[in-house]
Each structure stands twice: as C-alpha cells, then as structure tokens.
Amino acid sequence: MVDAKGRNMKCLTFFLMLPESVKSRSSKSSKAASPSGSSKLPPVCYEIITLKGKKKKKMAADIFPAKKSASGANSGSSGAVAASNATAAATATSTTVQQYQQQNLNNNNTIQNCNWQGLYSTIRERNSVMFNNELMADVHFLVGQPGGTERLPGHRVRLSSHSPITTAAVATVTINKQPISQPNYVLAVGSSVFHAMFYGELAENKGEIRIPDVEPAAFLAMLKYIYCDEIDLSADTVLATLYAAKKYIVPHLARACVNFLETSLSAKNACVLLSQSCLFEEPELTQRCWEVIDAQAELALRSEGFCDIDAQTLESILQRETLNTKELVVFEAALCWAEAECQRKEITLSIDNKRKVLGKAVYLIRIPTMALDDFANGAAQSGVLTLNETNDIFLWYTAAKKPELQFASEPRRGLSPQRCHRFQSCAYRSNQWRYRGRCDSIQFAVDKRVFIAGFGLYGSSCGSAEYSAKIELKRQGVLLGHNLTKYFSDGSSNTFPVWFEYPVQIEPDTFYTASVVLDGSELSYFGQEGVTEVQCGKVTYQFQCSSDSTNGTGVQGGQIPELIFYA
C-alpha cells in the first residue's frame, strides 16, 4: 500500500496472513506506485513443531440433525410403519453420506448419481460433498514446500449443489463468462482473506494458487471446517492448522486449535507450546504454559522439546522468577539447548561454540545460588565459564569481601505450596489408628488444573517416631506418581509433608485416587468430621470414598488429611 506521499505502508500482521499469490501482487503494485525503491519486507517463516499424541475429532455442529415428523395425527400401526420407513431411509442416507465423505478425504470422489443432490436434505450436507472434490472446482491450491506439494481443489462460487439442473446452468454461465446473480461464496464466506483473494481489489483469476508456507494436511483441515462445519484435529498437525487458521483469519477454527493445545498441555511439550503461543499471540495459552513450566520445571527443562525452542524463549525461561527447581537443573538444560543450537547452526560442537550461542543468556543462570557442591562438581568443571568467572564465583562462596558478578545472585522465588485440609478435627483414643501394612486411600477431583506435590500425613500419638511411607497417585487405575520415603513425627497432632519426586499434573473434573501405605508406630492420630467439598483459594476440591482403601479411611475420617499442591 502507498500513501499520498508515495511512502510504502505495510501491515506485518495482515501481510503475513495473505496468501503468497496476493503478497506477490501487492509487492508488484507497491513497486509500480513507488519506483524510487521502497524497503522490502524481510521474509518471515513460522516453524511449526508437531506434537505426538492421539487424534481428536470434534464436530462444530451436527451434520445430520434428527428429522421431525410432518404430522403428529397418525398413530397405531400407520405411525409404526412411517417410523420404520423413516429409520430405513435415514440409515441408507447416512451410509451414502459417509461413503462420499470417505471418498472426499482420499481426494478421489467420483459422483456416479446424476441426482446426487437429492441424497442430502441440508445445505451443510451438500457442501460437505464438495469438500476436497474435483467436481466443479474452479480453483486449485498448490500447498506445501517443493517436493511435498499437494494439489487441493476449491470452489469460488457454489450454486450447483442445490439441484442437478443448476449444474448445467453454471457450466453454461461459466463458459459464456456471464455474471451470476446472488451466488453462495463458500471460500469467501469462510475467510476474509479468501474474499480478498477472489473478490477484493487484489483479486486473482488464476486457476492455481501456490501456498508454500502451509502444510497440506493443515490446509485440508481448514477447508474441511469451511465446507463441512467440522473440526478435525490431530496432535501432529494442530500447530500447523493453527497457523493456517491465523493466516486466513478463521477465528473459530483457531480457537478450537488453542483449546486442543490447552487440553494436551504437559511438561513434555510446555516449552515448545510456550514458544509457539508467543509466536501466534495467544496470551491465554502462554499463561497455561507458564503454569506447567513453573510447577514442573525440572520435567519441562529436561524434556526434548526444551532444546527446540528459540533463543528469545530460552531467555524468558532462564530469567523466570518462579521456576520451581534447582539452579543446577537450569544450568544443565541451558547446556543441552546450546548443543542443539550448534547443530541447527551447523557449527562444530565445542565448549567455545556453546558459550557463543548462549551469549548473554548465560548470565541469566543464577549460578551463585547453587549449592557449593553443585557448583564445584558441575558448572565449575563444565568449561563454559571462563577461569576468571569460576574464580570469582568461588570467592563469592567463601570470601568475606565478595567480588562483583555478572551473574544474578538472588535465589529464585519459586512457588509456595498450598494445602487442602479435608478434616475439621483430629483425635486419638485408646483404640487408635493402626496400620499393619494396609492401604489408606481417598478419591478427589478439582475444578481447575493443579499440581499435586505431596500429602500431609499424621504421625504417632505416643511421642516422636519415624514412619516409612509409600505414596501413590492414580487416575482410573493408571499410576501417575509415586514415592517411597520416610518422615519423622514429633508426637504432635500436626501433619507432616511427604513429597512426590515430581509434582503430578491434575486435570479438572476427573477423579484421582490418593493412596498411602504406612509402616511404623501402630498408633497414630486420625482425622474426623471430614467434608466432601473444600475451597482452597481459587480451587474447589471434592472428595469421595475409594475402593482401594482397606484400612478404614473414607470421607468422614481416617488418614491422608492434606493434599499439598501448586496452582
């Protein structure tokens, strides 16, 4: 675009979302209007990183709504016959529709019936037949990088799906190049970018449009939404589909992609999704990623996905105040990222190059806050630090007069654990709680995502004692976290924390089973006056009895008085 003074005005966001053919034409128009030589927009490429997981299919609306009877007067045998005929017809139609849809997915749809329109009662069904169908296609998209390009059909104008008569009419109109009154613009109605491409000031009449920056599977998923009103996402292509939805301004599909990513978010992919969410400007997804990274920092930093992030995302993680892990873990993760970055840049994998690719980000690692043993046996011997830096940090640990350091020297704040206490009181009597190797268990659910870090347990009521505890956390019988540890009780009625090795991610609206097997003094405190619902800050817990409990623990009383969590 050129303003009144001949200056080249460009909007990066809109420009990125335009197809390559429109970008090219826009660039040519700008050059023609301003021959003095305007600055070129540098090429921008979104690197889409796929996730591994199961496929998820979702309907934006029911494609085959239930049909209502035209008259309610018929009854008895006549009504039964009508219902039987309607059921048989609906079954036959449904089978035929499914066959056509499967053909569409394989891009080999050949409609044999000249009155195929009569098989479908709604416009949505008829449009669905046209999805990925060569029949009456008036534009083709060459999608993907060279070597992996796929040719996908599309339809600028759609009238012929209503009747077999209009099929011939449209063919005649198209050949004679006459205007069509009040057409149904499938692609243009589905996307403002397609509207600009076909009917705007930069409209093109090309039969083929090249789109090298979108994956074919993602483009096909977007077309399926536009034609069929159906959202079909998989973990392998959801990021690429989100990019396509953003580029062609299909907001409802983009929102569905973000929701899919939020539900599949875990410590293994949180860093990758953090990078992509910033790229796609999705603040809600970004916040969800930070919640996982903060609470499960060690798992997130040691994941394979951490090495795939960009340098800017690396710096934002390294300077994060609420990372809940040791600084040695942060240092080791940064070295792993540096190795991967050297490979991406195709440079020699050496200590000097690792330090070079890390750049100033190395000073975001709070090395002076490490335990002295961790520094001496880890960072000091890594070779990444210079001799002067290593010497100054040793002096920082030992000398009364500490040298000035470029490294941050304040410990990270981390996260403060919260406690959900489910009993209103505790007690001990002559017939006190006994264990004998049996399992105490309770089920719970939450209304928002939290991370269970451990349990608060009662101790001996007969003075100080040491207990051995085996704790477990399961979901529908699947073990999510466990630990075998010991804790010391001082004889009071207080609870004593027992931790999992890593915090366990808990999803909302699903019941989980918390279990513990204790071994130690036979007599201990126990909870009573238990409640089924507890409000802890912004999180609501619900409790119910567990069939795994063989030692008497339930909602009203027993053991496992506290759940320790991050939220």
Side-chain angles (χ1 to χ4, degrees):
M1 294 179 289
V2 181
D3 65 2
K5 297 182 179 181
R7 294 177 300 184
N8 201 18
M9 309 295 290
K10 299 179 180 178
C11 176
L12 177 59
T13 302
F14 181 74
F15 194 84
L16 284 174
M17 291 181 175
L18 287 176
E20 296 300 320
S21 59
V22 178
K23 291 182 187 177
S24 176
R25 183 162 182 170
S26 176
S27 177
K28 292 177 181 179
S29 300
S30 298
K31 290 180 180 179
S34 179
S36 58
S38 59
S39 61
K40 296 182 179 180
L41 185 70
V44 177
C45 177
Y46 285 166
E47 180 182 2
I48 306 299
I49 305 175
T50 61
L51 305 176
K52 295 181 180 179
K54 296 181 180 179
K55 190 175 181 181
K56 181 176 181 181
K57 186 173 181 179
K58 206 175 178 185
M59 294 297 296
D62 292 333
I63 291 184
F64 309 115
K67 299 180 180 178
K68 297 183 179 180
S69 177
S71 174
N74 294 333
S75 61
S77 60
S78 60
V81 171
S84 176
N85 292 339
T87 302
T91 302
T93 302
S94 177
T95 302
T96 305
V97 169
Q98 291 175 359
Q99 291 175 350
Y100 280 135
Q101 288 180 339
Q102 184 60 43
Q103 289 175 340
N104 288 356
L105 290 174
N106 297 332
N107 199 15
N108 61 356
N109 195 331
T110 303
I111 297 179
Q112 303 295 335
N113 193 339
C114 63
N115 188 23
W116 60 269
Q117 292 88 342
L119 297 174
Y120 308 96
S121 61
T122 67
I123 184 63
R124 185 188 298 114
E125 294 171 3
R126 293 191 289 271
N127 279 339
S128 297
V129 175
M130 292 295 99
F131 163 63
N132 201 21
N133 197 330
E134 292 288 348
L135 181 65
M136 295 175 288
D138 54 2
V139 65
H140 287 82
F141 301 96
L142 301 181
V143 186
Q145 297 286 343
T149 302
E150 291 189 21
R151 190 172 184 267
L152 304 177
H155 305 78
R156 289 190 180 95
V157 180
R158 293 285 299 106
L159 270 177
S160 56
S161 63
H162 293 280
S163 165
I165 298 176
T166 57
T167 302
V170 168
T172 303
V173 169
T174 303
I175 293 173
N176 294 338
K177 297 182 179 180
Q178 297 177 0
I180 301 176
S181 60
Q182 299 180 352
N184 179 22
Y185 305 89
V186 174
L187 290 173
V189 167
S191 163
S192 59
V193 176
F194 281 132
H195 181 274
M197 184 191 305
F198 299 137
Y199 304 105
E201 294 180 358
L202 301 177
E204 297 220 3
N205 294 321
K206 292 182 178 180
E208 292 185 344
I209 298 174
R210 295 186 178 276
I211 308 176
D213 60 328
V214 177
E215 294 182 8
F219 195 82
L220 200 60
M222 182 180 66
L223 290 183
K224 188 172 186 179
Y225 171 74
I226 293 175
Y227 278 80
C228 309
D229 195 29
E230 180 178 335
I231 298 173
D232 194 358
L233 301 174
S234 68
D236 291 334
T237 60
V238 61
L239 282 171
T241 304
L242 176 58
Y243 171 64
K246 288 279 188 176
K247 174 175 180 176
Y248 289 96
I249 315 181
V250 187
H252 297 292
L253 179 59
R255 183 67 253 172
C257 291
V258 172
N259 291 339
F260 183 96
L261 292 171
E262 288 182 354
T263 57
S264 62
L265 182 61
S266 69
K268 294 182 179 179
N269 59 31
C271 294
V272 171
L273 292 184
L274 175 66
S275 176
Q276 298 295 312
S277 65
C278 294
L279 188 66
F280 292 129
E281 297 181 349
E282 289 291 341
E284 292 183 6
L285 179 58
T286 300
Q287 178 59 31
R288 300 292 180 273
C289 292
W290 278 126
E291 291 173 0
V292 175
I293 294 171
D294 285 341
Q296 297 181 301
E298 186 168 349
L299 292 175
L301 295 180
R302 287 179 172 172
S303 66
E304 293 182 3
F306 178 80
C307 296
D308 295 328
I309 62 178
D310 57 276
Q312 184 176 355
T313 305
L314 172 71
E315 292 183 5
S316 65
I317 293 177
L318 294 183
Q319 65 187 6
R320 185 74 173 173
E321 187 69 29
T322 48
L323 287 182
N324 202 39
T325 188
K326 293 182 178 180
E327 203 64 29
L328 179 61
V329 174
V330 179
F331 179 79
E332 291 173 346
L335 292 187
C336 290
W337 181 89
E339 291 182 8
E341 186 69 2
C342 287
Q343 294 173 358
R344 284 190 288 267
K345 292 180 176 293
E346 297 182 350
I347 59 178
T348 305
L349 189 60
S350 64
I351 293 176
D352 291 339
N353 284 336
K354 288 182 186 179
R355 178 62 185 261
K356 181 179 179 181
V357 296
L358 281 172
K360 294 183 179 180
V362 72
Y363 296 116
L364 299 175
I365 306 172
R366 307 186 184 192
I367 296 177
T369 66
M370 292 182 184
L372 181 56
D373 289 346
D374 289 343
F375 173 72
N377 298 317
Q381 298 187 41
S382 66
V384 174
L385 304 179
T386 65
L387 291 177
N388 287 337
E389 289 171 343
T390 303
N391 182 64
D392 286 345
I393 294 174
F394 267 121
L395 290 176
W396 173 270
Y397 283 109
T398 58
K401 184 179 180 180
K402 301 183 182 299
E404 293 185 3
L405 300 175
Q406 289 184 277
F407 296 92
S409 56
E410 290 294 325
R412 299 181 194 272
R413 187 172 69 251
L415 294 177
S416 299
Q418 303 180 48
R419 293 174 181 251
C420 174
H421 197 91
R422 67 187 190 92
F423 296 129
Q424 299 183 61
S425 64
C426 68
Y428 71 95
R429 292 188 291 269
S430 58
N431 184 19
Q432 295 167 357
W433 205 271
R434 299 176 184 272
Y435 299 111
R436 298 175 181 174
R438 296 175 181 173
C439 178
D440 289 289
S441 182
I442 192 70
Q443 288 192 334
F444 70 93
V446 293
D447 63 347
K448 65 171 294 186
R449 177 181 287 155
V450 298
F451 302 87
I452 297 295
F455 303 149
L457 303 177
Y458 290 126
S460 171
S461 59
C462 302
S464 60
E466 186 179 60
Y467 284 86
S468 174
K470 178 184 178 182
I471 59 174
E472 293 182 342
L473 196 57
K474 297 179 181 179
R475 177 182 178 180
Q476 298 177 348
V478 178
L479 186 64
L480 303 178
H482 71 282
N483 196 15
L484 181 60
T485 185
K486 294 182 178 181
Y487 70 96
F488 183 83
S489 68
D490 58 9
S492 70
S493 60
N494 296 328
T495 59
F496 303 92
V498 178
W499 307 92
F500 289 105
E501 185 177 4
Y502 304 108
V504 180
Q505 181 171 315
I506 303 298
E507 297 299 330
D509 305 323
T510 301
F511 274 95
Y512 293 78
T513 303
S515 303
V516 59
V517 177
L518 293 173
D519 184 18
S521 177
E522 288 190 358
L523 304 179
S524 77
Y525 289 92
F526 60 92
Q528 58 185 11
E529 298 181 278
V531 293
T532 58
E533 185 173 304
V534 179
Q535 185 73 33
C536 296
K538 297 181 179 180
V539 184
T540 301
Y541 281 82
Q542 291 183 333
F543 294 94
Q544 67 181 21
C545 294
S546 169
S547 59
D548 293 345
S549 188
T550 59
N551 199 41
T553 290
V555 174
Q556 297 301 320
Q559 300 298 319
I560 316 180
E562 285 184 341
L563 299 178
I564 306 173
F565 68 99
Y566 301 115

